[in-house]
Amino acid sequence: MGYTDIYPSTDTIRREINLERTSMRLLLLVTLLLSACSFVKTQKDDGSPLFDHAQTFDAFVQGKLDPEAKKQLQRSCAGADNSENIFCFSVNRSHLLFKREAQRTRIAKPAPERITRPTPLRLSPKGNLINPSAVKRASVDNLLKALHELPLEQVEKIGQQAVKLKCPNSLASATAATLEDGLPNASLHGLIAKLYAQAGRCAPRRSNDREHFYSRSALFFMLDNNDTEAIKWLEQAPSRDAFSGRVLYWLARLYKKTGSTEKASAVLARLYREFGFSFHATAASLQNDFDLASTYLDKELNLETRSRRSPAANALIQQAEVLSRYDFNESAATLAYWAVQSYRKLEPLVRLHLSDLGSPYLKVETVPLILLYNKNLIARKTLELSYPKAYFEMFEKYDSEVDPYLLQALAHKESKFNPRAVSPANAQGILQLNPTTALDLSGGREQDLFDLGINLGLGARYLSKLLDHYNGRTYLALSAYNAGESQADKWKARYPTDDLVLFIDLLSYRETRNYVGFVLRNYYWYRRLYEGEGTSSLKRRLGL
């Protein structure tokens, strides 16, 4: 018997390998068809091997692949010659992929409730605070709890004492906040303003607290008809918070009111230039009949599809593009998120391209930050990425209850369109509903708030109810959505003004002040981008 009788020839080996590969592909296809009845070929199925690879990989990522087919896929990708399947790059690194995806989709636990204990306040028989040095740097929460147990007259006396202390810090801000409970008593405005000025003066020079306290002091000096003092503190306030613009907005208004028109114009120009996407820039542009959006909407921008800084990311980008082309959008979004999170040196234009391939959450999480530091990239395309029309057909179902674009603006702020989001206060889902509120809305029936449709339906009903309660005043409905109706009703009585921006900026919860501004800002851009609404229409819609 010769050598060739014992060992097959090279040609025979090649034929057997090709036959084995063909059989493996057939097995994969048959297993997919039998094990996943939901596998219906999309309209974009072009009959190519690339589509088959994409479909198999999509099932792999979504956990719908039969165990045997999964093993076959992993074996084929582990072989020396796997270049014909571009998805082998990710299959071979699937432990990293699934780890990142588990981190992204896990449901966070609410933060434990903080326990506050009243700070001991030692008072003399005349009501003076006799331990100011011991309490002026105490926790604001603990001080608030102690101050709320005292009569308002006593708190006022402590406040008068605090403004004379050197750096009363927490004592000044806590006393000012407690005195706001006594509004609309106009006689308190001046003292509250002085206390916030004291708190700001002693705050770290480069902290956001200084801007916050000085701007709040200025608002109460305005209410006290003291525009000179208001301007003084606004001029000293740093304006570093790119999501604020509050200081510049009020400074421009006060300059204009007091006849300094050139200063007002210069400050407005800075507001639009530096904080163009803040609520205050939006409000100022509408009030001054200036089309803020026109600067960007006619600008064209081409994104970059491959990275030079991080060439290893290009394999993931290519895969996400193919999945997106064949409408396997969820898996495309998974790979886009993986690439953005794993390759931190990606060029801004490449990150924007990946965001375009990703989920609404990835867009909202990524694009605004890119534009903040790369203002030259602001264009219609990137604005539409910043404010995506996410799940819009589902939002439109509630058109009879509330404007779908207002719901989009709300979801953008509440959860960044993440249906599985959980807040520290245990608000859940895309519209961040509290389980107790959801129970009331559903007649006592427990609901799955991580179900997109259920959450949207309940959230739309709740916002519609609030809009009816506040006679269509969106800013009041939003403040109640965030802080609760009872608190919003207190603010409505405490700050009796028809000036929408003033009311929002006076709200005593910093979170709610920023929240209402963010949602109204989002609402402006959704209506402007997708409906092309003009300045006068948007002014009416936002209540300006």
Side-chain angles (χ1 to χ4, degrees):
M1 185 179 290
Y3 178 87
T4 54
D5 293 327
I6 301 174
Y7 298 100
S9 68
T10 303
D11 288 338
T12 303
I13 292 172
R14 283 175 180 159
R15 281 196 300 272
E16 288 179 359
I17 289 173
N18 288 334
L19 181 62
E20 183 180 347
R21 284 179 177 168
T22 303
S23 301
M24 186 164 57
R25 288 177 192 143
L26 286 171
L27 177 61
L28 276 171
L29 183 59
V30 170
T31 308
L32 279 169
L33 291 170
L34 292 175
S35 65
C37 295
S38 61
F39 258 33
V40 179
K41 288 193 175 183
T42 69
Q43 292 179 344
K44 294 193 176 182
D45 179 359
D46 55 9
S48 70
L50 187 60
F51 173 84
D52 292 335
H53 291 321
Q55 188 179 46
T56 302
F57 181 71
D58 175 68
F60 174 73
V61 172
Q62 301 305 319
K64 297 177 181 176
L65 200 58
D66 178 89
E68 186 56 36
K70 181 178 177 180
K71 288 179 184 177
Q72 292 284 4
L73 174 64
Q74 290 172 322
R75 269 192 225 113
S76 68
C77 282
D81 183 16
N82 57 35
S83 58
E84 65 180 39
N85 186 347
I86 65 169
F87 296 99
C88 282
F89 177 90
S90 294
V91 171
N92 290 336
R93 296 162 180 79
S94 58
H95 62 292
L96 298 174
L97 167 64
F98 292 128
K99 180 180 179 181
R100 181 71 69 178
E101 188 62 5
Q103 290 171 346
R104 183 181 73 85
T105 58
R106 75 174 183 270
I107 297 176
K109 293 181 180 179
E113 188 175 348
R114 272 191 316 183
I115 299 173
T116 58
R117 295 179 177 84
T119 298
L121 300 176
R122 295 172 56 201
L123 304 174
S124 72
K126 292 184 178 181
N128 293 318
L129 187 63
I130 60 176
N131 62 333
S133 59
V135 302
K136 66 181 184 179
R137 294 182 184 275
S139 157
V140 171
D141 287 342
N142 292 345
L143 276 170
L144 285 170
K145 195 158 189 176
L147 289 166
H148 276 113
E149 294 175 358
L150 300 176
L152 190 65
E153 296 78 8
Q154 181 66 68
V155 177
E156 188 176 357
K157 186 170 255 188
I158 292 173
Q160 290 165 348
Q161 187 178 353
V163 294
K164 298 174 185 176
L165 297 174
K166 183 179 179 181
C167 283
N169 292 32
S170 299
L171 180 61
S173 58
T175 306
T178 307
L179 287 174
E180 288 189 48
D181 290 343
L183 300 177
N185 181 352
S187 67
L188 295 173
H189 290 159
L191 178 56
I192 292 172
K194 290 174 185 176
L195 285 164
Y196 279 127
Q198 276 284 71
R201 186 187 290 117
C202 298
R205 188 172 293 278
R206 298 189 63 82
S207 75
N208 287 338
D209 278 346
R210 179 165 286 200
E211 177 185 354
H212 161 67
F213 289 132
Y214 279 177
S215 60
R216 196 149 187 82
S217 170
L219 294 179
F220 280 99
F221 274 124
M222 283 170 49
L223 293 177
D224 202 38
N225 298 312
N226 193 339
D227 292 342
T228 303
E229 280 292 302
I231 291 172
K232 168 187 167 183
W233 293 108
L234 288 170
E235 286 178 336
Q236 293 185 53
S239 237
R240 300 188 187 91
D241 184 352
F243 298 102
S244 173
R246 182 177 287 115
V247 169
L248 298 181
Y249 172 86
W250 287 108
L251 200 51
R253 277 187 58 168
L254 284 170
Y255 279 150
K256 185 176 180 180
K257 180 183 175 184
T258 56
S260 301
T261 53
E262 288 187 11
K263 283 185 175 181
S265 297
V267 171
L268 271 180
R270 184 186 166 198
L271 174 62
Y272 298 146
R273 182 177 65 252
E274 296 184 16
F275 307 120
F277 289 91
S278 67
F279 163 68
H280 290 87
T282 303
S285 68
L286 291 174
Q287 290 168 335
N288 290 281
D289 297 316
F290 170 63
D291 187 3
L292 186 66
S294 63
T295 313
Y296 312 109
L297 295 186
D298 294 332
K299 181 179 175 181
E300 294 185 4
L301 184 72
N302 294 318
L303 307 183
E304 292 179 2
T305 60
R306 295 295 180 269
S307 175
R308 293 179 296 279
R309 289 186 200 164
S310 301
N314 293 332
L316 287 177
I317 297 172
Q318 182 190 15
Q319 293 166 64
E321 289 169 343
V322 171
L323 290 165
S324 180
R325 184 195 316 163
Y326 289 126
D327 281 342
F328 298 118
N329 295 316
E330 195 170 338
S331 293
T334 297
L335 290 192
Y337 181 83
W338 185 20
V340 166
Q341 293 297 315
S342 300
Y343 298 95
R344 298 293 185 173
K345 293 183 180 179
L346 287 172
E347 299 85 341
L349 285 169
V350 177
R351 295 177 77 85
L352 288 169
H353 174 59
L354 276 165
S355 299
D356 196 15
L357 298 169
S359 64
Y361 174 80
L362 181 62
K363 293 178 175 66
V364 176
E365 177 76 6
T366 305
V367 177
L369 198 59
I370 294 173
L371 300 185
L372 176 63
Y373 295 106
N374 301 273
K375 291 185 170 60
N376 61 309
L377 302 182
I378 301 173
R380 176 180 283 277
K381 173 68 175 177
T382 51
L383 285 170
E384 288 175 352
L385 291 176
S386 289
Y387 303 100
K389 287 178 73 174
Y391 317 110
F392 196 68
E393 289 182 2
M394 297 184 71
F395 279 75
E396 282 186 304
K397 291 179 182 178
Y398 307 101
D399 190 25
S400 60
E401 297 178 57
V402 64
D403 182 356
Y405 287 110
L406 180 56
L407 283 177
Q408 290 265 295
L410 187 65
H412 186 291
K413 171 57 184 166
E414 285 284 5
S415 66
K416 298 180 181 178
F417 295 107
N418 177 9
R420 297 172 66 84
V422 179
S423 79
N426 200 31
Q428 300 175 6
I430 195 166
L431 290 179
Q432 290 290 273
L433 288 167
N434 184 285
T436 304
T437 303
L439 277 175
D440 291 341
L441 291 166
S442 60
R445 297 188 303 276
E446 286 197 14
Q447 301 285 349
D448 180 6
L449 295 179
F450 298 115
D451 182 288
L452 181 58
I454 290 173
N455 196 293
L456 264 179
L458 292 173
R461 188 186 310 166
Y462 184 40
L463 185 56
S464 176
K465 173 189 166 187
L466 292 172
L467 286 166
D468 287 343
H469 178 70
Y470 294 109
N471 299 316
R473 285 174 287 184
T474 307
Y475 64 97
L476 277 170
L478 292 174
S479 65
Y481 195 100
N482 178 258
E485 288 178 64
S486 61
Q487 186 60 50
D489 289 340
K490 286 180 185 176
W491 287 328
K492 182 183 169 189
R494 188 185 293 176
Y495 313 117
T497 176
D498 294 326
D499 187 323
L500 176 147
V501 183
L502 180 59
F503 178 83
I504 292 172
D505 284 349
L506 283 171
L507 297 178
S508 58
Y509 291 0
R510 194 186 306 199
E511 177 195 329
T512 307
R513 283 198 297 276
N514 294 335
Y515 171 91
V516 176
F518 269 120
V519 177
L520 290 177
R521 185 276 314 267
N522 293 348
Y523 192 29
Y524 164 88
W525 281 106
Y526 272 108
R527 299 294 316 187
R528 184 70 180 86
L529 281 168
Y530 299 110
E531 295 299 323
E533 284 194 21
T535 301
S536 57
S537 173
L538 287 166
K539 189 187 298 186
R540 287 193 303 273
R541 194 176 290 279
L542 268 66
L544 292 163

